[in-house]
Amino acid sequence: MAVVGARRPTPYGEAVAERLATDLAAAGVVVVSGLALGVDAAAHEGALIGGGCTVAVLGSGVDVIYPAANAGLARRLLDAGGAILSQFPDGTVPRAANFPRRNWIIAALADLVVVVEAAEGSGALITADAALHLGKQVMAVPGSVFSALSVGCHQLLRDGAGLVQNARDVLADLSSPGEVLDDPLAAPERFRIAEPADGSRDPLLRHLDDSLPGDPGVLARKLGLPFGDLIARLTRLELEGRVVRRGAGYVKVHGRGTSREESE
Amino acid sequence: MLATVLTSLVRGLEARPVEVQVDISSGVAGFFLVGLASGSVREAKERARAAIRNSGLRFPQRRLTVNLAPAELRKDGSGLDLAIAVGICLAALGLKAPGDAAFLGELSLDGTLRHVDGVLVAARGLPGQGVTDLVVPACDAAEAALGEAIRVLPAPNLASVVSHLRGEAPLAPYAGSLPEAQSPAPELDLAEIHGQEAARRALEVAAAGGHHLLMWGPPGAGKTMLARCLPGLLPPLTLAEALEVAEVRSVLGELPPGCPLDWRRPFRAPHHSMSLAGLVGGGSGMARPGEISRAGHGVLFLDELAEFEPATVQALRQPLEQGRVFLTRSAGSVAFPARFQLVAATNPCPCGWSGDGRRACRCTRAALETYRRALSGPLLDRVDLQVNVPRTPLEALGGEPSGESSSTVRERVLAARSLQLKRQGMLNASLRAAHLRCWAPLRPAARRGLERWATEAALTARGFHRAWRVARTLADLEAAAEVEERHVMEALGYRLAEHAG
């Protein structure tokens, strides 16, 4: 199964990719991806956490790990019994033209392609397209309707791609008899926030989204807070690891605890 | 027959006295000019000869030697014309020049006096050299009169100066008085800005503590407009500051005649194609002040910071640290004041859409890294406040802007600035580590917060002190004696996100 998506995902997309890959790998599925930053890396990472075996298909020669930031991941992937493949001869440098061709190989290797966060016209959609041409299944993970990174996935869903909420959705489609671990999809360990000992939580978090950056100016106006006080509180939350900065805005870090309370 | 006349040359913002010694002796008629005179001063020979004849005076047909002392000082410019012509006339008439009067002015061939640059610098510097009277072209009188310690004698032409010296028709001293201090209306009011709470707050803090500011946002977000609001948040110039600003403009010949003193804070926005010499000062021969000196006591706005030549940007470091810039050229070294507040703006990435949320950024990670690297480094280490300026949604532009006006914000700024000056004699932006420990004590919770952040975000020592300085200003805006935890947290919020996407 292939898990592909944006190179610069939201924390939400990264969490989904990692969790999904973990659960699938634990169920015995081989996760194929492209060793790119973002969703690809999270998928490989998740597969390793799930104790599975994962395959990276490169747009360069197998001896040229790109991006270099993922060299460590590539090493661990091989140690865990995975594989690094490429259609290009050794020493080929990563060129933009290589990647669409690489995406075809990913699609060809997988029985099913799951797209996690893809902007319009992105490489992940090329992979999905290739999969359809090759007669493979395509599924997509929905995202926030405000996010530019959801546009591609939602387009796929509209066009009839399967909806992915958790590993079971994927496994059902693969009709593989594996055991699914979690339902609904739970955030992976490193995205989970430890609740403060006194149980106090800044109510500010309720006003923040986990994919669309919240503009502090708009928030201050909405809550009637002086701007400086709001920045101080957001920075405190940032220090506690509950929010991260995204450009001008703040995004809530995805955690099981928070999403539970939110849905209640 | 010998006559000695005083005049002056401008070196940087300093007036150097020059003695014009004229000797007329018998011999073959000739005109010799000595004393390291450059091309523009040698031309004075022709101007002086014609002007003297056309003023109805007699040009001596004898051996004429003019020496410009001190001889080791290189002379240039046309400001010595008047003194040379006066010296020749006095020597021919057998008169002595008054020892306490200096003469400045360029001559036309008909004897009329023309404007020269740097009159204000001479008027302020010469009293210290024992000069009490300054004869200047009539059009420069208002400018010269700003140097209060000197009697300004405006003269329309050479003939009137000579008859003044012969005692026939004394020149009337300039009667204008120093202009009153004013609080000019801001060029652009904060009330006209829609939204942009982060940038507004950052401007207020920058104005209150004298901090340098970097704005980071997509094209069209209003970064230039915001920067233009900053001068209006600062207190008006003091007399000493206004005079220094006027001196720089005087040297450049940019002072408008008649109304030389401008109380507005300068705002300079050089384009990113500007050369290094244009920005920090320079030029061939004698260095002239650059944009950083013109922005003295005001705001230097560098839009598209990443597009400036790296060498140009790095040249700002020394002036930022010292408040002066030292320039060496073939004709000598000079120092110009350069105490400016830096406001820089940049797009978040080459395509401009990174972090916008509504449209995806198309830049590769490598391109982003290169762009960031152009912006990082030693200059940004000196910028205390860094803030994101998102694009204002178009639908918000239709309504009435709802923020505070510049005058409201300025009241808070003035109160915070006077607290700082009373406590430490300087603005918070100038506080160094030792000062901070003394003048910006941290509450225990504030110290814990700052230290925890420093550990987790791997803050550099500079970053640590930047946040501390800004926190001090935030406390001053609330008139708090000690820096609280919330001040530290807010200060830490004014830095760029590591993740733009």
Side-chain angles (χ1 to χ4, degrees), chain A residues 26-195:
Chain A
V29 173
V30 176
V31 175
V32 182
S33 194
L35 202 67
L37 296 170
V39 167
D40 284 17
H44 290 303
E45 203 69 74
L48 294 176
I49 294 169
C53 145
T54 172
V55 175
V57 186
L58 305 188
S60 51
V62 285
D63 54 343
V64 184
I65 299 299
Y66 175 84
N70 283 346
L73 174 60
R75 165 79 15 225
R76 283 183 284 125
L77 178 156
L78 290 175
D79 289 347
I84 294 179
L85 307 181
S86 174
Q87 76 228 73
F88 302 102
D90 284 5
T92 305
V93 292
R95 302 238 317 255
N98 295 354
F99 291 97
R101 294 167 64 193
R102 182 273 311 262
N103 292 348
W104 276 79
I105 303 292
I106 294 179
L109 285 173
D111 294 321
L112 185 151
V113 173
V114 178
V115 182
V116 184
E117 295 212 314
E120 236 175 330
S122 66
L125 295 186
I126 297 178
T127 313
D129 238 34
L132 292 174
H133 273 100
L134 297 169
K136 306 296 176 83
Q137 276 274 11
V138 174
M139 298 184 86
V141 179
S144 159
V145 294
F146 295 119
S147 168
L149 285 170
S150 303
V151 176
C153 289
H154 291 171
Q155 187 64 46
L156 289 172
L157 291 170
R158 202 176 297 131
D159 294 347
L163 179 87
V164 178
Q165 292 189 90
N166 52 39
R168 179 180 295 166
D169 289 341
V170 182
L171 293 169
D173 234 273
L174 278 177
S175 55
S176 152
E179 191 199 343
V180 188
L181 305 171
D182 252 310
D183 187 12
L185 193 65
E189 210 50 60
R190 72 188 173 93
F191 290 97
R192 206 170 296 154
I193 301 302
E195 288 293 314

Side-chain angles (χ1 to χ4, degrees), chain B residues 86-127:
Chain B
V86 165
I88 293 170
C89 294
L90 291 180
L93 294 166
L95 290 175
K96 283 265 169 277
D100 54 1
F103 299 81
L104 277 178
E106 177 185 321
L107 285 174
S108 322
L109 297 188
D110 64 359
T112 313
L113 289 180
R114 298 172 55 89
H115 161 83
V116 290
D117 293 344
V119 167
L120 174 58
V121 177
R124 273 166 53 88
L126 288 175

Side-chain angles (χ1 to χ4, degrees), chain A residues 7-8 37 119-121 146 148 215 217-218 221 227-229 231-232 235-236 238-240 245-248 250, chain B residues 197-198 201 357 361-363 365 368 388 390 452-453 456 485-486 489-490 492-497 499-501:
Chain A
R7 281 193 307 279
R8 276 183 271 148
L37 296 170
E120 236 175 330
F146 295 119
D215 182 292
V218 174
R221 228 175 306 146
F227 184 81
D229 290 0
I231 287 292
T235 310
R236 220 171 278 137
E238 197 182 352
L239 184 57
E240 288 165 5
R245 293 269 299 272
R246 284 269 149 162
Y250 287 78
Chain B
E197 283 78 2
R201 176 72 174 162
C361 164
R362 288 266 166 227
C363 302
R365 210 170 254 262
L368 277 175
N388 284 88
R452 183 169 163 207
W453 189 280
E456 295 201 359
E485 190 253 6
R486 64 175 188 279
M489 284 298 150
E490 188 183 343
L492 286 167
Y494 298 127
R495 81 214 185 293
L496 297 175
H499 263 288

Side-chain angles (χ1 to χ4, degrees), chain B residues 166-455:
Chain B
R166 290 167 96 166
E168 294 167 1
L171 293 168
Y174 182 75
S177 57
L178 264 189
E180 291 284 305
Q182 298 164 6
S183 303
E187 180 196 8
L188 196 62
D189 201 298
L190 266 185
E192 295 168 38
I193 307 257
H194 287 269
Q196 300 296 13
E197 283 78 2
R200 272 169 186 280
R201 176 72 174 162
L203 280 173
E204 175 175 345
V205 179
H211 305 283
H212 303 304
L213 169 69
L214 173 73
M215 288 187 284
W216 176 280
K223 301 187 289 285
T224 305
M225 206 170 156
L226 285 159
R228 284 192 179 278
C229 287
L230 182 55
L233 300 182
L234 298 169
L237 293 171
T238 63
L239 179 62
E241 289 169 344
L243 284 172
E244 194 179 285
V245 171
E247 274 190 330
V248 172
R249 289 188 191 152
S250 167
V251 169
L252 290 163
E254 287 178 353
L255 276 180
C259 53
L261 215 51
D262 190 347
W263 299 94
R264 279 175 303 176
R265 298 254 165 199
F267 180 88
R268 304 293 303 186
H271 188 253
H272 58 69
S273 60
M274 169 149 291
S275 69
L276 199 150
L279 191 67
V280 301
S284 64
M286 206 62 217
R288 285 159 62 83
E291 290 292 332
I292 59 170
S293 300
R294 293 177 197 216
H297 301 293
V299 175
L300 180 73
F301 177 51
L302 301 182
D303 201 1
E304 308 283 2
L305 184 65
E307 306 289 342
F308 278 83
E309 287 291 329
T312 309
V313 172
Q314 293 312 323
L316 293 174
R317 278 165 60 191
Q318 179 246 333
L320 275 174
E321 298 259 298
Q322 305 185 354
R324 303 182 73 69
V325 58
F326 297 92
L327 301 164
T328 301
R329 290 293 181 275
S330 60
S333 301
V334 291
F336 288 113
R339 248 179 304 273
F340 58 91
Q341 196 167 352
L342 178 70
V343 178
T346 176
N347 291 338
C349 65
C351 83
W353 287 99
S354 175
D356 188 68
R358 269 164 285 266
R359 223 158 104 181
C361 164
R362 288 266 166 227
C363 302
T364 63
R365 210 170 254 262
L368 277 175
E369 283 303 312
T370 319
Y371 203 72
R372 294 263 161 113
R373 219 164 311 134
L375 289 174
S376 64
L379 179 75
L380 283 204
D381 267 348
R382 288 160 178 81
V383 177
D384 289 345
L385 289 164
Q386 307 182 346
V387 64
N388 284 88
V389 182
R391 199 187 297 262
T392 309
L394 289 179
E395 56 271 21
L397 293 179
E400 276 296 305
S402 55
E404 293 174 308
S405 70
S406 287
S407 56
T408 317
V409 176
R410 188 155 90 155
E411 271 169 38
R412 291 198 295 270
V413 167
L414 295 187
R417 281 173 86 111
S418 75
L419 271 179
Q420 295 164 41
L421 296 177
K422 209 182 298 168
R423 180 178 61 226
Q424 64 217 16
M426 59 177 121
L427 292 179
N428 288 339
S430 317
L431 291 177
R432 298 187 183 281
H435 296 140
L436 281 168
R437 282 192 291 277
C438 175
W439 301 119
L442 295 166
R443 286 283 182 114
R447 173 171 302 280
R448 275 198 303 278
L450 190 56
E451 280 166 0
R452 183 169 163 207
W453 189 280
T455 326

